[in-house]
């Protein structure tokens, strides 16, 4: 459905931006109640524009790359990440070392192992993946293949790569179906390549929390995780997306879960935004973020590319 892709593209990319920029002040915060999460959001909105961080910077670079390389070329993508890199955007420690290795001319595959010999299992390849969900949401098999390739410059650890594939599949499902529910969590668990992601998603799919116990945020952070590792944040973001009625609620829930707040919010609001469309992402949140016109423009270009056919 072309109209769905046109709506989903800005939803997914603006969702990444809003979650990142409004979650960033609370990266590293403990989980809290919904009421206090509302306070976190109000304080973020009180001083604008909110700068985006590495999550959006890399998503923008990946989106631009996809326009010229729809199936992803890891060497060219590494060069795009290198050129976009601004060190003050809050990158992970391993990313600074990989960037230096690129600057020193190390081949992509070697640079990907300079920080951690087995590769990074951080959520950095997942946090930036929404453009691939938009571009390939109509073709799940190709989507998984392209998502895995997009992780190669920075996240060659199987868990880091699988986190990226799972998050791409989640956005892709939301793009293709215009919805995202707990049933999707169970299906994503079955498709996961690693035990770590499969376990986290299965736990997310079966998580039950009686309303009488109050907000689930502490229990979610404990059981599913809210840390920087892919298997401790991607299932959490998928759970937030599946249990929120709209992108605004996903933003609040992610602020409540805390921990790697910018990244969990970026991933959760991207999925919810893809499912509900760009119009469903509150304008007040979008307008508060640095770079929203640029993100909107590249989302439209990506939708054009996705609708242009698979031959590209
Ligand atoms: N890094 C942050 N936030 C904290 C630092 C910000 C700082 N205060 C500042 O302002 O500069 N946020 C961003 O990083 C996350 C994405 O990380 P990515 O791209 O995966 O990076 P990295 O370094 O590869 O992995 C992150 C950490 O995970 C641990 N780790 C990864 N692989 C490991 C391995 N094989 N063995 C052991 N540990 C591993 C390390 O602690 C890494 O540093 C997002 O939250 C983004 O917002
Ligand atoms: Mg960040
Ligand atoms: Mg190519
Ligand atoms: Mg983060």
């Amino acid at each position: 459905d072309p109209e769905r892709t046109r709506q989903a593209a800005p939803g997914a990319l603006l969702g990444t931006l809003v979650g990142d920029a409004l979650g960033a002040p609370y990266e590293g915060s403990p989980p809290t109640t919904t009421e206090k999460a509302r306070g976190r959001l109000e304080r973020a909105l009180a001083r604008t524009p909110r700068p985006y961080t590495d999550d959006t910077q890399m998503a923008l670079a990946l989106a631009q790359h996809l326009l010229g390389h729809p199936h992803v070329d890891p060497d060219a993508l590494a060069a795009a990440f290198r050129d976009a890199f601004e060190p003050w955007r809050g990158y992970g420690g391993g990313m600074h070392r990989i960037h230096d290795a690129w600057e020193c001319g190390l081949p992509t595959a070697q640079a990907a192992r300079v920080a951690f010999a087995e590769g990074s299992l951080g959520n950095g390849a997942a946090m930036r993946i929404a453009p691939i969900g938009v571009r390939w949401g109509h073709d799940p098999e190709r989507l998984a293949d392209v998502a895995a390739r997009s992780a190669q410059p920075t996240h060659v650890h199987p868990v880091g790569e699988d986190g990226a594939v799972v998050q791409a599949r989640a956005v892709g499902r939301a793009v293709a179906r215009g919805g995202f529910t707990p049933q999707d969590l169970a299906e994503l668990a079955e498709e996961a390549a690693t035990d770590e992601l499969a376990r986290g998603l299965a736990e997310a799919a079966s998580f039950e929390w009686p309303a009488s116990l109050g907000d689930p945020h502490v229990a979610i952070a404990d059981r599913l995780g809210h840390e920087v590792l892919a298997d401790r944040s991607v299932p959490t973001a998928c759970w937030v997306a599946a249990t929120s009625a709209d992108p605004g609620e996903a933003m609040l829930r992610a602020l409540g879960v805390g921990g790697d707040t910018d990244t969990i919010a970026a991933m959760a609001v991207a999925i919810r935004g893809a499912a509900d469309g760009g119009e469903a992402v509150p304008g007040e949140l979008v307008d508060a973020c640095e770079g929203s016109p640029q993100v909107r423009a590249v989302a439209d270009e990506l939708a054009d590319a996705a609708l242009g056919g698979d031959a590209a």
Side-chain angles (χ1 to χ4, degrees), residues 284-312:
E284 186 196 7
L285 305 191
V286 174
D287 294 343
C289 299
E290 173 197 10
S292 52
Q294 189 192 350
V295 168
R296 207 186 275 284
V298 80
D300 289 342
E301 286 187 85
L302 214 46
D304 288 342
L307 294 170
D310 301 359

Side-chain angles (χ1 to χ4, degrees), residues 27 55 260 262-263:
E27 200 181 33
D55 307 52
D260 192 358
D262 64 332
T263 301

Side-chain angles (χ1 to χ4, degrees), residues 185 188 244 251 274 286 310:
L185 302 176
L188 287 169
S244 296
M251 184 72 229
V286 174
D310 301 359

Side-chain angles (χ1 to χ4, degrees), residues 58 78 81-82 85 92-108 110-116 119-120 151-156:
M58 297 191 96
F81 289 151
R82 184 195 65 209
F85 189 82
M95 272 307 304
H96 286 270
R97 297 194 52 191
I98 290 176
H99 180 261
D100 288 345
W102 290 333
E103 299 266 66
C104 290
L106 241 68
T108 313
Q110 278 179 45
R113 296 180 189 275
V114 290
F116 309 103
S120 172
Q152 282 182 21
T154 56
H155 291 74
V156 291

Side-chain angles (χ1 to χ4, degrees), residues 27-39:
E27 200 181 33
S29 300
T32 191
T33 62
T34 299
E35 196 187 318
K36 287 186 177 159
R38 231 178 274 284

Side-chain angles (χ1 to χ4, degrees), residues 141-221:
E141 270 186 35
R142 183 155 303 172
L143 172 146
D145 194 52
V146 172
R149 202 152 41 245
S150 80
Q152 282 182 21
T154 56
H155 291 74
V156 291
H157 190 291
V159 170
E161 177 187 304
D162 198 27
V165 172
V166 167
Q167 175 65 16
R169 283 191 199 276
V171 174
R173 279 169 172 265
V175 169
R177 296 178 196 173
F180 192 78
T181 70
Q183 178 60 34
D184 287 294
L185 302 176
E187 291 174 17
L188 287 169
E190 293 193 2
E191 291 172 353
T194 62
D195 291 345
E196 288 87 344
L197 268 296
R199 253 200 310 274
L201 289 160
E203 181 102 29
S206 63
F207 184 85
E208 305 240 356
W209 192 254
S212 60
L213 289 179
D215 290 311
H217 302 150
V218 169
I220 284 293

Side-chain angles (χ1 to χ4, degrees), residues 10-145:
L13 269 63
L14 290 171
T16 301
L17 172 67
V18 157
D20 173 24
L22 299 175
Y26 307 103
E27 200 181 33
S29 300
T32 191
T33 62
T34 299
E35 196 187 318
K36 287 186 177 159
R38 231 178 274 284
R40 286 179 175 180
L41 182 59
E42 277 165 21
R43 284 195 300 285
L45 292 172
R47 239 183 87 198
T48 61
R50 301 302 324 181
Y52 60 74
T53 78
D54 55 334
D55 307 52
T56 299
Q57 181 153 81
M58 297 191 96
L60 278 170
L62 175 57
Q64 295 285 1
H65 175 81
L66 283 170
L67 296 174
H69 305 82
H71 303 108
V72 170
D73 175 331
D75 295 325
L77 181 57
F81 289 151
R82 184 195 65 209
D83 292 346
F85 189 82
E86 293 171 310
W88 46 272
R89 293 282 184 186
Y91 280 87
M95 272 307 304
H96 286 270
R97 297 194 52 191
I98 290 176
H99 180 261
D100 288 345
W102 290 333
E103 299 266 66
C104 290
L106 241 68
T108 313
Q110 278 179 45
R113 296 180 189 275
V114 290
F116 309 103
E118 68 281 31
S120 172
L121 42 66
N123 53 22
M127 73 188 181
R128 67 188 185 223
I129 206 85
I132 292 178
V134 171
R135 181 63 182 81
W136 292 111
H138 62 285
D139 185 346
E141 270 186 35
R142 183 155 303 172
L143 172 146
D145 194 52

